[in-house]
């Protein structure tokens, strides 16, 4: 049956995360962006909510309830609060989800780190610092050399939070992407903190891998390898949902501002030029959300969601630009000022077209 | 409740049936009735009528809990076939929706039961007037009650009455006419009346020559002392001047039900163009790669992918609005969101399809140019793009129609 | 010096053509579209104005004043009146201009046909009936065979007015496009009247060329050949200017209608949604016109205008769609009706993306 | 008169000079002053000042008959260098435009001549107030005439005052303050006053932290019993309540002159991004084919070609509005057309440039992301997109501000 209403359990998750985003995340968003620092307390609080752990296997101490749809719902709400903080909160999943789904038994042993009492970040290195970064065909290579793999290449947009363990590095092995667990202190691995236009609070690194050597067992899934295409699609759904969250945040502040702001004696929201812009925003946000849900649903069915995830991400990355740009416009001069949220939303929004696998569902 | 994109079996069956009908009984006549603008397309009407009356196959049946969703899926399929012919379906159409929504059980039986047997018939709704546009409060057609005969006497001119010609020229047809019983009352004075085919005093004075959906008859009607029995009034006759315009709002609620269907019609036309475009490109050796990075994409690939995303976005908004009806939820906002998006999206999709097919897209040898012409109506009728934006804006801003005009 | 004001002579031409377009062309536009027939009297009247003849050499009885800028000014005004009729009026230039510019002495002898007392249409066959028609690399081929050329291929959007003489057919010769004068009754040449979405009043033909044999002297420019790139660019400037003309026509009727049409008690033009749409139209039309002028000016300087002509045509073909679609929207229900102009403007507008060299400046 | 796109030699020379200046004295400091948001960029200010005062090279000189066009060309070049630094040019800027437009010869001499010698100085215009936005009639800052001292006494708060910090903190600077001499008179009561640096009662209370153009100081000013001599009033002091708001219109006319310049600034930023994008693509082996048919184009090619067309379209609208000033023609419509187009076009162009450069475009290693942030201001200041659309709409519809609001 066609249906668009979350289950009661999902609705509970939405309500919980929404409240958390509103009370804990959003109030920190502006300062974190300016100071380029994450609010550690908030990450710990989020960890206590078990947003990632709930999706990890029970055998690893998790809730065993992974669902891409639920993941999309959570991602939207968190990103509504703040994109940088949301990405940080969900970062454990970057390492943990692929291991849970595709990891060898030995690799799965490491999952309990993510279900403990403390927040442990994860990291996945997929995008490459090239204008033509191709997630399906990374230029970073993995070459088998005896009992090892040797990795060479460069990565960017790699979440690089304090206290993280291994980073999952995606590299081409014989033309297809595979992932490798690389210790942060591996020889030949250099990480440099990035400065980007947005997501300033999130520490991200550009990695250079020069003959980085890892044992064959470090390959995700061991001999079996992993279906990285599926991981990428999970990333696209997560990013689509987060783009929807950012867009919704921008829409809401713009809507509220337009109702309060009096110009020429009336609220600017009573002007058709503004009101219709807001109407269009609401339509595009809802539509993009439904596309993300459909792709997530397809993932949950175990089907190939490459097309749906692409459509969802493309649509979301387009509309989040339109909406955040529109929100700046609704704010007028104040939209350009860093005291208000829209300019940050706009900077964050511009990243989505280039982001891949910065969060997973 | 759950989030699911798995149509239930009844929906799937309904879709398949309508697809077959579209392929067999619509596509073959698309060009003919685009050219022969005002002719009755019996090649389509007859099998459609047989099917609708249960003679030609299973009746359209909605899945449990997915009734409106199924209707939308089926409507998409038929308009994938041909939107103009679809609008000439022998069915109560919008007139039926109005009777179903606002009529008493007796009225529903009286006016809708003829649509279950006999010869093909049509229903229509007559709202728009030459000077009124989308403004129901400006309706000039009057209804005056004649106590002597217990009849309403209607006078006025209606334009843009879809299927009005069919409704009035074939026995058993009905036209639901909006008229004011009290001009001083504005919207609150607007009531709707069922006029049946053969009633003296109503006549079709012409059909519009249109950009597209030329198979559909868009009639201009004149009512001159057109008398209908008292029980042809849908809803209550009293006019609540204070306390607002509940009667009018009831009438408008018809749109909450019809807009998802209209959006589904749009999706059907858009999909016709997009399906054909992709097939034709495939024939020409152009495949769409869904895993090419942006820097490697061709302009065509990107356009097609964007068109697919836009079409699916529209379809999902449409289904959402429909599903809310199935749940008995108020969908006024969502119906207008779907309609606003649908009109614009399929206008762009079909325009782009013609462009991407180059000179052959512009030729009448293919149907793509026709679909572009057909699609544009979705941006206009059942509330223009702007009217639907206005409705959406009022809802999201919580503004009344006097604050946001 | 940067300047955007026509010369006094050009202004006179504009005024004359505008008046003609308003008084003679526009009143016929609707009926001609419905009947799919050209108004022959109007073509003769236009011929008397000498719009094409003025640009032909004095040696051929013309005015000797060819200017791409002037041509663009004329094309806009005529297309404002009606696109089909404008294309018909300017059709003599399709044959005559290339001959005047590149023709051999013998070919130039034929020019006087276009400066006589009667209107004589011309014809140029460039576009091909393929989705990927490539004007720089036609698939129609010209093969030298002894003293002849043999032409094979197909063409579409070929103006095919009664009373026309040779048609200039563009074909690839050794990879580059050249043009050949082909008699309408040449053996192997089949012409079928087209039905398109728009420009219904203009008779256009789809040509099939099967081993069409013409003497070597039929090649435009004879042994020297011709710079067809330049002709194509002249066509793009003409089409850009005509798109601007159509857009301006649609804008003006929409503007006037919006001021007259009362909805909810006020003219719809007082609604920001409509008023801003009209404002955007006016901006885009003016901008597109300036791009067309710049490309025309560059042609007049004798420079390669490939880039400028491309930009001008692309911009114009994009905005004419936006503007005509917007005009339909402003008209609401009446925009969909064939009693009014906007739906015809929209149908005509959609052609520009595929048109090439249907008129020349 | 003729249609020509051949800049005169003075324009070409001015462009070359400014290009050199941009390359030498702006680009090297772009990132530094993006990061060090409120620091004075002396590395740029000093050579700019030397040049402006004739010490560092030829003075900016407009070509005969092409004065404003040349200014636009030069402005584009400087903003190609860096729009934030440009706005910190030691020059009278908008304050100077106001004095030049509305001042007497004596006022022009008094307030503008200091800008020809001595140390660097700045001019500014203070219009916007926290509650007023683009609505000049809502200005709350008051100017009261004190007959005893023959002075105007100003009180109020001004925000978004570009270069306000520089203007008030360096000797010889001027701020033109808009204030009302009669709140009951609406726009007609609004007058402008020159406040010079060092005047007691005016102070900068802070500079905005902004999305872009961070090198530019966007000041908040407070005026508390700030006294200026009577002859610091620009224009006439009388308030014509009937007979309209000529004084206000005069003040608004400043915008007709400044909007083409602002549009040129936008073009400069957009070109910076587009130039870099094309160069970078070229370095990566991607060339733009101007003769590929649509069906063969890559998505990047089409984007770049569209960006080029949009940028050139904007530039030509800008030059047209400027040229009309050079001819002494009223350009109110054309100036707003250029401004409206420019803000939107360069916003889209720079946003697209970041996108097309992928991950590297989003990085602060390049300046493209900064240009996107800088560009957005053009959609906002000197009248937002919406304000300029409103002005254009009123002109093309021949509607007054009371009819089209």
């Amino acid at each position: 049956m066609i249906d668009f209403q979350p289950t009661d359990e999902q609705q509970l998750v939405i309500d919980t995360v929404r409240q958390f985003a509103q009370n804990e995340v959003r109030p920190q968003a502006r300062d974190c962006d300016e100071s380029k620092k994450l609010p550690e307390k908030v990450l710990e609080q989020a960890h206590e909510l078990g947003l990632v752990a709930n999706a990890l296997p029970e055998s690893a101490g998790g809730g065993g309830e992974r669902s891409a749809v639920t993941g999309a719902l959570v991602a939207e709400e968190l990103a509504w609060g703040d994109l940088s903080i949301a990405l940080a909160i969900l970062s454990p999943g970057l390492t943990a989800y692929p291991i849970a789904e595709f990891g060898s038994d030995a690799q799965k042993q490491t999952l309990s780190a993510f279900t403990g009492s403390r927040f442990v970040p994860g990291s996945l290195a997929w995008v490459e610092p090239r204008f033509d970064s191709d997630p399906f065909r990374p230029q970073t290579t993995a070459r088998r050399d005896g009992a090892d793999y040797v990795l060479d290449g460069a990565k960017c947009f790699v979440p690089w939070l304090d206290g993280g363990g291994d980073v999952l590095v995606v590299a081409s092995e014989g033309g297809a992407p595979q992932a490798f667990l690389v210790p942060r202190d591996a020889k030949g691995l250099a990480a440099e903190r990035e400065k980007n236009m947005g997501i300033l609070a999130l520490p991200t690194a550009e990695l250079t891998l020069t003959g980085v050597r890892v044992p064959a067992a470090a390959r995700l899934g061991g001999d079996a390898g992993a279906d990285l295409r599926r991981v990428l699609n999970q990333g696209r759904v997560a990013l689509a949902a987060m783009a929807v969250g950012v867009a919704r945040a921008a829409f809401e502040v713009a809507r509220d501002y337009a109702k309060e702001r009096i110009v020429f004696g009336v609220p600017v929201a009573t002007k058709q030029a503004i009101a219709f812009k807001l109407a269009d925003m609401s339509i595009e946000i809802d539509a993009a959300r439904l596309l993300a849900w459909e792709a997530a649903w397809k993932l949950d069915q175990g089907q190939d969601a490459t097309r749906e995830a692409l459509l969802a991400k493309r649509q979301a990355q387009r509309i989040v630009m339109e909406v955040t740009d529109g929100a700046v416009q609704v704010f007028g001069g104040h939209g350009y000022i860093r005291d208000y949220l829209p300019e940050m939303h706009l900077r964050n929004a511009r990243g989505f077209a280039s982001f891949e696998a910065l969060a997973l569902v | 409740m759950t989030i699911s994109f798995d149509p239930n079996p009844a929906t799937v069956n309904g879709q398949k049936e309508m697809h077959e009908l579209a392929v067999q009984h619509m596509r073959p006549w698309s060009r003919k009735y685009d050219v022969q603008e005002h002719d009755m397309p019996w090649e389509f009407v007859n099998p459609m009528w047989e099917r609708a009356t249960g003679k030609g196959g299973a009746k359209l049946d909605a899945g449990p809990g997915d009734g409106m969703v199924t209707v939308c899926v089926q409507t998409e399929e038929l308009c994938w076939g041909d939107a103009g012919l679809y609008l000439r379906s022998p069915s109560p159409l919008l007139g039926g929706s109005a009777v179903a929504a606002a009529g008493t059980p007796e009225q529903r039986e009286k006016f809708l039961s003829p649509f279950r047997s006999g010869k093909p018939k049509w229903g229509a709704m007559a709202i728009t007037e030459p000077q009124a546009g989308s403004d129901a409060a400006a309706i000039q057609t009057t209804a005056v009650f004649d106590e002597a005969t217990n009849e309403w006497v209607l006078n006025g001119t209606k334009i843009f009455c879809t299927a009005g010609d069919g409704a009035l020229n074939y026995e058993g047809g009905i036209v639901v006419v909006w008229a004011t019983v009290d001009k001083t009352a504005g919207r609150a004075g607007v009531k709707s009346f069922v006029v049946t085919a053969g009633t003296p005093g109503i006549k079709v004075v012409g059909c519009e020559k249109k950009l597209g959906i030329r198979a559909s008859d868009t009639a201009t009607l004149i009512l001159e002392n057109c008398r209908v029995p008292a029980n042809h009034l849908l809803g209550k006759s009293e006019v609540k001047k204070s306390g607002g315009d509940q009667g009018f709002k009831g009438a408008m609620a018809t749109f909450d039900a019809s807009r998802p269907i209209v959006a589904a019609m749009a999706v059907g036309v858009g999909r016709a163009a997009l399906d054909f475009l992709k097939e034709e490109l495939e024939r020409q050796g152009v495949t769409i790669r869904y895993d090419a990075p942006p820097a490697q994409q061709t302009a065509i690939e990107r356009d097609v992918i964007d068109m697919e995303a836009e079409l699916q976005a529209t379809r999902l908004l449409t289904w959402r609005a429909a599903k809310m009806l199935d749940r008995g939820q108020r969908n006024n906002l969502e119906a207008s969101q779907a309609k606003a998006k649908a009109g614009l999206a399929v206008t762009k999709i079909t325009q782009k399809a013609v462009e991407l097919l180059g000179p052959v897209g512009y030729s009448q040898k293919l149907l793509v140019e026709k679909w572009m012409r057909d699609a544009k109506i979705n941006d206009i009728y059942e509330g223009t793009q702007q009217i639907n934006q206005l409705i959406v804006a009022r809802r999201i801003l919580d503004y009344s129609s006097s604050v946001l005009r």
Side-chain angles (χ1 to χ4, degrees), chain A residues 1-3 5 7 136-137 255 259 270 272 276 280 282 284 286 294 307 310 314-315 318, chain B residues 1-2 4 6 64 66 291 302 306 308-310 312 320 323 327 329 337 341 389 397 405:
Chain A
M1 173 181 285
I2 305 286
D3 205 352
Q5 289 208 340
T7 62
F136 289 103
R137 297 160 204 85
R255 178 197 61 198
K259 291 192 71 169
T270 62
Q272 279 196 351
F276 283 25
D280 288 343
S282 80
E284 294 301 335
D286 283 7
E294 186 177 26
R307 178 175 164 273
L310 173 74
R314 280 187 59 87
Q315 190 79 356
R318 182 174 65 71
Chain B
M1 288 188 295
T2 187
S4 168
D6 210 6
D66 266 2
D291 65 351
R302 196 173 56 196
D306 284 346
E308 287 187 43
E310 282 287 282
Q312 185 64 5
R320 181 180 65 161
K323 184 72 191 184
R327 287 194 178 285
Q329 295 166 337
Q337 285 181 316
K341 175 74 183 172
Q389 282 176 313
L397 290 164
R405 285 179 288 196

Side-chain angles (χ1 to χ4, degrees), chain A residues 209-296:
Chain A
L209 299 102
T210 318
V212 173
R213 191 169 282 271
V214 293
R219 192 169 86 148
L220 181 66
D223 290 340
D227 179 2
L228 271 263
R229 224 178 160 87
R230 184 166 161 84
V231 179
L232 184 74
N233 292 337
Q234 291 164 347
R236 288 183 163 177
V237 169
L239 288 168
M242 295 177 108
V244 170
V246 172
R248 197 183 97 214
F251 161 71
E252 289 178 7
V253 295
R255 178 197 61 198
D256 296 346
Y257 184 85
K259 291 192 71 169
E260 284 162 20
R261 175 80 177 165
I262 307 292
V263 174
F264 297 108
V266 292
V268 294
T270 62
K271 299 292 180 188
Q272 279 196 351
I274 299 297
F276 283 25
K277 192 187 277 284
L278 291 166
D280 288 343
M281 289 181 187
S282 80
I283 295 169
E284 294 301 335
I285 291 167
D286 283 7
R289 179 185 299 115
L290 295 174
L291 285 176
W293 286 2
E294 186 177 26

Side-chain angles (χ1 to χ4, degrees), chain B residues 148-218:
Chain B
T149 61
N150 200 32
E151 286 172 331
W152 289 96
V153 186
L154 305 175
N155 278 287
T157 303
K158 294 287 179 182
I159 59 172
F160 298 159
C161 176
T162 299
D165 191 58
L168 289 175
N169 283 330
Y170 295 87
E171 199 189 321
I174 56 167
V175 178
V176 175
V177 176
W178 289 28
T180 177
V181 297
D182 181 355
K183 280 193 188 177
T184 65
R187 292 173 165 195
V190 175
K191 305 284 170 187
S192 52
F193 303 85
V194 180
V195 182
T196 52
T199 305
I202 187 167
K203 66 176 176 198
V204 176
V205 294
C207 287
E208 303 287 358
K209 295 185 291 177
K210 301 190 299 295
L211 171 62
I213 53 165
R214 294 185 183 174
S216 163
D217 53 319
T218 303

Side-chain angles (χ1 to χ4, degrees), chain A residues 6-282:
Chain A
T7 62
D8 290 345
E9 294 78 17
Q10 285 169 333
Q11 192 56 53
L12 191 66
V13 172
I14 292 174
D15 294 343
T16 307
V17 180
R18 185 172 292 183
Q19 204 169 4
F20 179 75
Q22 177 147 25
N23 296 340
E24 310 299 334
V25 177
R26 177 68 70 85
Q28 308 277 348
R30 213 44 278 184
D31 286 349
C32 288
D33 184 73
E34 285 293 318
S35 64
K36 304 180 181 63
K37 281 202 184 111
L38 288 170
E40 287 183 24
K41 191 175 142 238
V42 174
L43 302 189
E44 293 295 347
Q45 287 174 312
H47 179 64
E48 283 164 28
L49 292 178
L51 300 176
V52 171
N54 279 346
L56 294 179
E58 292 176 8
S59 57
E65 293 181 350
R66 184 147 174 224
S67 148
V69 169
T70 306
L73 297 171
V74 168
E76 176 182 334
E77 296 304 329
L78 287 176
W80 175 91
D82 181 68
L83 181 60
S84 293
I85 300 173
L87 289 169
I89 287 172
L90 295 178
S91 80
L94 292 173
T95 313
Y97 288 168
I99 289 178
E101 193 165 4
F102 299 107
S104 63
D105 290 344
Q107 287 162 350
K108 283 182 182 163
Q109 299 299 319
T110 64
L111 285 178
S112 55
F114 299 105
T115 58
S117 61
R118 298 277 302 172
F119 171 78
V120 175
S123 188
L124 177 56
W126 203 310
V127 186
E128 302 187 340
R130 317 162 44 87
F131 87 100
D132 55 356
S133 177
D134 182 347
F136 289 103
R137 297 160 204 85
Q139 301 257 325
T140 300
T141 54
R143 181 173 51 84
R144 185 72 186 248
D145 184 30
D148 295 340
Y149 277 103
V150 182
L151 306 179
D152 283 281
K155 294 286 171 181
C156 64
F157 296 160
V158 184
W160 208 248
L161 282 69
D162 289 345
D166 292 352
V167 52
L168 258 182
V169 175
V170 176
S172 285
E173 184 193 353
Q178 288 294 338
F180 300 84
L181 283 157
V182 178
R184 289 199 180 196
D185 56 0
K187 207 179 150 201
L189 176 68
E192 191 188 351
R193 167 104 190 218
E194 289 176 349
K195 290 177 190 165
N196 287 308
M197 185 196 298
I199 55 166
L200 293 177
L202 183 75
T204 59
E206 184 167 324
L207 303 186
T208 314
L209 299 102
T210 318
V212 173
R213 191 169 282 271
V214 293
R219 192 169 86 148
L220 181 66
D223 290 340
D227 179 2
L228 271 263
R229 224 178 160 87
R230 184 166 161 84
V231 179
L232 184 74
N233 292 337
Q234 291 164 347
R236 288 183 163 177
V237 169
L239 288 168
M242 295 177 108
V244 170
V246 172
R248 197 183 97 214
F251 161 71
E252 289 178 7
V253 295
R255 178 197 61 198
D256 296 346
Y257 184 85
K259 291 192 71 169
E260 284 162 20
R261 175 80 177 165
I262 307 292
V263 174
F264 297 108
V266 292
V268 294
T270 62
K271 299 292 180 188
Q272 279 196 351
I274 299 297
F276 283 25
K277 192 187 277 284
L278 291 166
D280 288 343
M281 289 181 187
S282 80

Side-chain angles (χ1 to χ4, degrees), chain B residues 98-358:
Chain B
V99 173
T104 61
E106 294 71 31
Q107 287 173 325
R108 287 202 286 270
E109 174 60 23
K110 176 176 181 184
F111 299 121
L112 300 184
S113 68
F115 284 83
R116 289 183 218 118
S117 60
K119 291 188 179 169
K121 18 189 104 59
W122 287 264
M125 181 121 92
I127 305 172
T128 311
E129 301 187 355
Q131 296 311 318
S134 302
D135 182 7
I139 280 181
Q140 301 293 312
T141 298
T142 54
V144 177
F145 191 63
D146 181 349
E147 295 196 11
T149 61
N150 200 32
E151 286 172 331
W152 289 96
V153 186
L154 305 175
N155 278 287
T157 303
K158 294 287 179 182
I159 59 172
F160 298 159
C161 176
T162 299
D165 191 58
L168 289 175
N169 283 330
Y170 295 87
E171 199 189 321
I174 56 167
V175 178
V176 175
V177 176
W178 289 28
T180 177
V181 297
D182 181 355
K183 280 193 188 177
T184 65
R187 292 173 165 195
V190 175
K191 305 284 170 187
S192 52
F193 303 85
V194 180
V195 182
T196 52
T199 305
I202 187 167
K203 66 176 176 198
V204 176
V205 294
C207 287
E208 303 287 358
K209 295 185 291 177
K210 301 190 299 295
L211 171 62
I213 53 165
R214 294 185 183 174
S216 163
D217 53 319
T218 303
T220 299
L221 312 179
I222 290 186
L223 297 109
E224 282 177 329
N225 294 322
C226 177
R227 290 173 167 267
V228 299
N231 63 3
H232 282 214
L233 165 71
L234 299 175
K236 294 180 180 155
S237 65
E238 61 183 313
V239 175
K240 286 187 191 163
K241 287 202 193 180
S242 62
D245 43 8
Q246 290 307 317
F248 177 75
K249 279 189 180 159
M252 292 304 284
T254 312
F255 288 119
D256 298 342
S258 65
R259 281 187 177 135
I261 298 176
V262 174
M265 293 171 56
V267 172
V269 184
R271 198 186 101 216
L274 185 52
D275 281 356
F276 180 85
L277 171 67
K278 288 177 71 177
E279 289 161 19
E280 181 64 19
L281 288 175
E282 193 81 35
R283 276 192 287 274
Q284 302 291 339
V286 179
T287 48
I288 307 302
R289 298 166 299 167
Y290 294 96
D291 65 351
Q296 302 284 342
Q297 273 180 336
T298 64
I300 287 179
E301 280 177 330
R302 196 173 56 196
D303 278 339
V304 170
I305 288 170
D306 284 346
M307 290 157 86
E308 287 187 43
E310 282 287 282
L311 190 70
Q312 185 64 5
T314 306
R315 184 183 285 123
L316 294 178
L317 286 177
T318 303
W319 288 357
R320 181 180 65 161
K323 184 72 191 184
M324 292 177 77
L325 283 176
D326 286 331
R327 287 194 178 285
Q329 295 166 337
R330 182 156 187 230
N331 76 339
N332 173 259
L333 169 64
E334 291 78 7
S336 281
Q337 285 181 316
K339 169 64 176 67
K341 175 74 183 172
L344 192 58
V346 305
T347 293
K348 301 255 182 217
I349 286 168
T350 53
Q351 288 177 357
K352 182 57 92 172
V354 172
E355 179 185 344
L356 292 184
L357 288 168

